[in-house]
Amino acid sequence: SEVVSLVRNETESRGIEIAGVSGTFNIIDPDESKRKKGIERFRKIAATCKGLHSRLITLCTGTMLPVDMWK
């Protein structure tokens, strides 16, 4: 995409490496529609990593608590 190319060009021109990208979402969210949206966003993030020359995507397992992913 145009945005990915712009980010890659700007970071490379400054000698900045994108070591990793956050792909965190509540992978075990009890709400199925939220899980599906999270998986779709993750797929989009993963697809952009190659264009950013980044080989690392961070994740966490999430939580079954519907009100706060971080508790």
Side-chain angles (χ1 to χ4, degrees):
S1 92
E2 189 175 321
V3 172
V4 172
S5 294
L6 176 64
V7 171
R8 185 187 61 243
N9 292 338
E10 291 297 319
T11 55
E12 287 179 351
S13 72
R14 290 166 172 77
I16 299 169
E17 176 186 353
I18 299 176
V21 178
S22 174
T24 295
F25 69 100
N26 194 354
I27 204 165
I28 60 172
D29 194 308
D31 182 324
E32 183 179 4
S33 67
K34 288 182 182 179
R35 276 195 322 271
K36 286 182 178 184
K37 287 177 186 176
I39 290 168
E40 183 57 34
R41 279 191 305 272
F42 180 82
R43 286 184 175 140
K44 289 177 183 179
I45 290 168
T48 65
C49 284
K50 183 176 181 180
L52 295 173
H53 299 171
S54 179
R55 296 172 32 179
L56 176 71
I57 305 171
T58 63
L59 286 172
C60 82
T61 56
T63 180
M64 295 295 287
L65 293 173
V67 294
D68 189 346
M69 187 171 118
W70 303 107
K71 283 190 174 184

